[in-house]
Amino acid sequence: MDQSSYRLLQILALACLACRLTSSSFPAYGTIVPQSPTVEIGKEFTATCVVYEAAKATADDIYWTSGGVTVPKEQYTKINDSAVNVTILITRETGKWLLCKKNESPSFLNKSKIIHGIELTKEYPPEKPENLSCMAVQSGRQISPNVTCTWQPGKMDKTISPTFTLFGSVIATNQNYSTKSQRSSGCIYFSTFPSYMELDIWVEVETKLGKVRSDILFINDPNDMVKTNPPSDVNIISEKNFSRTLLVSWKHPIHETVVKLKYNIRFCTVGSGDWTEVPPNDTESSKESFRLQYLKPDMEYVVQVRCMHYTGNGYWSDWSTNTTARTPEDKPTSKPDLWRVVIPSQGKSERRVEVICKDPVESNGRIRGYNIKIQDGAWEVVPVNGSELNSRSQERKIIPLYQIPLSDKRRGSIELKAWNSVGESPRASLGIPKLAHEPPPVASLSCFNQDSRLWVEWQPPNVEATGVTEYVLEWVSVSDGAIDWQREPRHNRKAPIKGNLQRFKLYNISVYPMYSGWTGKPLTTASFLEQGAPLEGPSVKVRRTGKSNAEVEWMEIPLDKRLGFITNYTIFYITGGKEHSIVVSPDTYSYTVEGLTSNSKQVVRIMASTVRGSTNGSDLSFNTLMYAPGQIEAIVVAVCIGFLFVVVLIVSLCMYKIDLIKKIWPPVPDPSNSTIANWSPDFPSKAVSPKESVLGDVSVVEVDVFDRKSLCEEDKAGLPLKKDKYLSEEHSSGIGGSSCMSTPRQSVSDSEEGGDSGQTTTSTVQYSSVVASNGYKGQSPCPLPQSPCTLLQTPQCGSSQSQTPSFARSESTQPLLDSEESQEGSGQSHQRNPYFSRSPGVIESRDPGDRNQLEMEEQGLASLRFCPLEEGSQQTTPTDEGQSPDGQPGLAPSYMPQLKGHRQQC
C-alpha cells in the first residue's frame, strides 16, 4: 500500500470516530463512572475508568485526555488493576469530552485505543433571586385577585434554562398558591384579593445542580401592593376675582372602603414643561378638590392629578390627562422696561432719540397701550395693538414708541406707564444727559463663552464716580441691526446674556452704568456667541506685477460668511515649482510678494483663519514681467546717452583733426559741373586782370612714358585697343585740334576695364596744354623748344609782351577732371580735385602721389604750357607772397616740373 492510500484510510478512520463518538458508540472495553454528568464550574470533578478483559489492558496502561489534552499522571488514582480515576478542575476552558484511553503508540488513533468517554455539561450553580416585588392592579371597582410579581435572577449561563416557581401563602387561612415560570416574573392567582390579610411570597429557582429559594416577602397589608386607576373627572375653575388662583376638582377612582387613597397634584404653564408639584402634606387627605395659589395672572396652566394608598407604601397611579385653564387678568405690578436709541444727526448739533420699551415683566394681562410724557409736557397715549401675543409668551417684543429731536446741549427726561383692562403699571423714567456731561463709563469690558452662553464681564466706573444704581447690557446684531437689552443689579460684575443670540453672528455688546435713571457713557465691544471657520475664502486679484514681485489685493469676507473674528491671513504662492506662504495681520488687505521668478506663471491664493478653522480662497494665476517697470526705459535712455556721447566725441574729434581728415579724404569735385568743355582762348568767359594776391597751385605730375620715343612715331598697332571709346576724339579736351592729334591713343583712365588696369598704367592720354602769352606777375615763361608739331610761335622767356595763346599736347596717365571757377573778387575759393584742378584756360595734370594743386586766376592769365626741361634739372622761382592761398609754398609759373623720362613730342 502506497503512502497516499494509507493517508486516505487514516482520514476515513477519524471521520468515522467523530460520527460515533458517544457513550454508546465505544466498544465494550470498559466504562466511566458517572455517565455524562453535569459539572459545576469552579469545582473539582472525579471520574473512574473501569477496564474490561476485552481491552487486554491494566490500570497501568490507562491515560486520560480532556479536550484533546492529556491529563497529567499526578491527577490519577489507581484503585486496582482494572480501575483508575482522575480528578480535574472544571473551568469554562475545560474540554467537552473526557476520554479514558489505552496506553499504546499515539501515532495513529483508532477504536482499539479508546476504552470509554463521557460528555461533560458545565454550568454555574443556581443563585438566590433578588428584589422580589408584587403588585395588584384595579379591575373595575375592585382590586384584581391576580398578583403579579417580579424578581432579579442570579448569575447563570445563557444556555441554561432554569425553572422558577413562585409561591404565595395566606397566613391567616394557611392557603398556599404556586405557579411555575421560565422568566423572571410570574403571577399568583388568588381566589379573591386578600384585603387586610397577611401574606408570604417567595420564589424558588431550580437547575441540574440544585435548588435555591429567595427571601420571603412579608406583606402586612395587601393594599400596600395595590395600584389604582388615576383620578377621574379632573376639572379646573378660574374665578374672576382671584387672578392668582385656580380651583382643581376630581373624583375617586375606587371607593375608599376598598382602598383609602391620597393624591398628588402638579401644574405648569402651557408649553413650558417645567412642572411644579404641590407638597404631599397638602393633599394627604382623601378630599376631591384643591386650590392652586400664587399663580400668575392671565396665564394658561396645565394640571394633572394622581393617587395611591394613603400609607405611602404602595404604587402611584398614572397621571390623569392634561387639563388646562387661564387665570384672570390683573393690573400690571411691574413697570415697563424703558430704553432709548440715540441717533446722531449729520452736520447738526443735535441728536435724534427713539424711545423703545418692552412690556412689564408682570404685565398680568394684555397691554393695551402706554402713557408717555416727554420733558415737562403732557401725558400722551400711545396705543399698542400687537402685544397681546407677546404678553403671553416667554419672549417680550420690543415696541417703538416715540422719536424726539434733542439738542446736544440739552438734557431730556422720559416717563412711561403701561396699562391693560384692569389698570396702570408703575411709572418708569429715563434721563438723557447733555452730550458733554455724560457720566463716566465702566472701567473695563470683556466677553467670554461658557456653557453655550455668552457672558459679559465688566468693572465698575472709577471710585470718584458714585451713585450707580444698576447696569444695562445692550447687544445689537451687526448684520441686521436687531437690538435688545437687559438690566443687572448694581453689585453684579458679570452676567450671561439672556436674549436669543444666534451662533456665528457678530454682536456689539455695550454696558451702560445707570445713575438713578440717567444713562452713563457706554463702553462697547464686539463678540460672537460661537465662532466657526469662514464659509468662503477671500477673493484675490493682482493690482501690479513686476519682474520679481507682485502686489496682490483681496477683499474682506462678507460678515454673514465670516462666522468669527479673522485672526490672520495666509498668502500661499507657487513660484519655481515650490509653494511658499506668508502670514499677515487681519487688518491687511494687500501685500507685495517678493522673490518671484521673472517672466513665468505664478499661482497665488489667500487663506482666512479664525480660532475655529481656516478656509482657502480660489487660486489666481498671473505672469511676471521679463523686465522690471522702468528698466526698458532706463536701457533706452542709457543707450541714447551713450550714442549721443559717441557722436559728440566723434564730431569734436573731427573738428579738432580737420586738417588730417582733409589729407586722408580730400574733396573730389564733380566732373559733370566742369566748364572746361565750353572754354576757348579766343572767347574767354571772363576778362579780369590778374591779381597778384592769387597764386595757383602747381601740381607736379610724374608721368611714366615710353622711353623718349616720339608718341607720334609709335606704332599705333603696338598699343592694344580694347574698345572704340578709347579713341583720341573721345579724350580730346575740345579746345582744338592738330595734325599730331589724328593718331588715336589708348587710355586706361576708365575704370570699366579693371581687369587690364595693371597692364596699361604706362599708357598715355593726350591733353591740351595752354601756353600763356602773359607771364605770372609780368614774368615770361620759359620758351618751349621748337618742334615740328608746334602750332604757334612762342616768345622768349621773361618777355612781357602779349602773346597769342598756343596749344601743346601733354601726355599723362591721369584722367581729366574739371575744376569749378573761382571768383577772386567774391572771396570764393576753388574746389580742388585730389588729382586734377582746372580753371578755364588752365589744364592741370596731377600725380596721385603728389597732391599739390595749381590754382590760377581766370582773369588776366593766359594759357600755360609745360616747358620740357632736361632730365634731372628743375627751375624754381618762389612767389612774392611766399605761400599759396591754401598755405602751401608758392611756386612761380616759371617752375618747370621735372618729368621723369618724359619727352614732349608733337
Side-chain angles (χ1 to χ4, degrees), residues 371-393:
N371 295 332
I372 187 170
K373 182 180 179 181
I374 306 297
Q375 300 286 44
D376 297 329
W379 287 94
E380 298 182 19
V381 177
V382 180
V384 178
N385 298 322
S387 62
E388 178 179 1
L389 180 62
N390 294 282
S391 65
R392 295 172 180 176
S393 65

Side-chain angles (χ1 to χ4, degrees), residues 167-281:
F167 296 92
S169 176
V170 180
I171 298 176
T173 61
N174 199 21
Q175 294 178 337
N176 296 322
Y177 301 88
S178 64
T179 181
K180 291 185 179 296
S181 174
Q182 300 296 324
R183 300 175 300 174
S184 59
S185 63
C187 184
I188 302 175
Y189 302 96
F190 293 97
S191 56
T192 58
F193 184 75
S195 298
Y196 306 107
M197 290 186 292
E198 297 178 348
L199 295 176
D200 284 339
I201 300 176
W202 70 93
V203 65
E204 187 178 79
V205 58
E206 182 180 1
T207 65
K208 294 180 180 181
L209 297 179
K211 295 179 180 181
V212 178
R213 189 177 71 172
S214 67
D215 295 334
I216 296 176
L217 176 62
F218 175 74
I219 301 174
N220 186 35
D221 187 358
N223 290 332
D224 290 342
M225 61 180 181
V226 173
K227 179 180 180 181
T228 64
N229 296 333
S232 61
D233 299 333
V234 178
N235 188 25
I236 303 176
I237 300 173
S238 176
E239 299 172 306
K240 184 177 181 180
N241 296 329
F242 300 93
S243 60
R244 296 181 179 273
T245 64
L246 289 174
L247 182 61
V248 182
S249 62
W250 63 89
K251 290 183 179 180
H252 296 300
I254 194 171
H255 198 274
E256 61 181 1
T257 58
V258 178
V259 179
K260 189 176 180 180
L261 302 174
K262 69 177 184 178
Y263 297 88
N264 185 215
I265 302 173
R266 69 178 183 177
F267 62 92
C268 71
T269 57
V270 173
S272 68
D274 187 11
W275 295 95
T276 301
E277 291 190 8
V278 177
N281 296 333

Side-chain angles (χ1 to χ4, degrees), residues 581-631:
S581 63
I582 301 173
V583 179
V584 297
S585 59
D587 57 348
T588 302
Y589 300 103
S590 65
Y591 190 84
T592 301
V593 181
E594 302 288 347
L596 303 180
T597 306
S598 62
N599 194 27
S600 62
K601 181 180 179 181
Q602 314 292 328
V603 180
V604 64
R605 73 177 185 275
I606 308 296
M607 182 179 71
S609 301
T610 66
V611 294
R612 292 293 184 180
S614 304
T615 303
N616 283 305
S618 58
D619 292 348
L620 177 66
S621 300
F622 65 94
N623 292 326
T624 51
L625 304 178
M626 181 179 293
Y627 300 100
Q631 187 175 4

Side-chain angles (χ1 to χ4, degrees), residues 128-147:
K128 182 173 66 173
E130 303 288 344
N131 300 327
L132 177 62
S133 63
C134 299
M135 181 179 64
V137 298
Q138 181 180 350
S139 176
R141 303 300 294 180
Q142 298 294 328
I143 302 300
S144 173
N146 300 328
V147 178

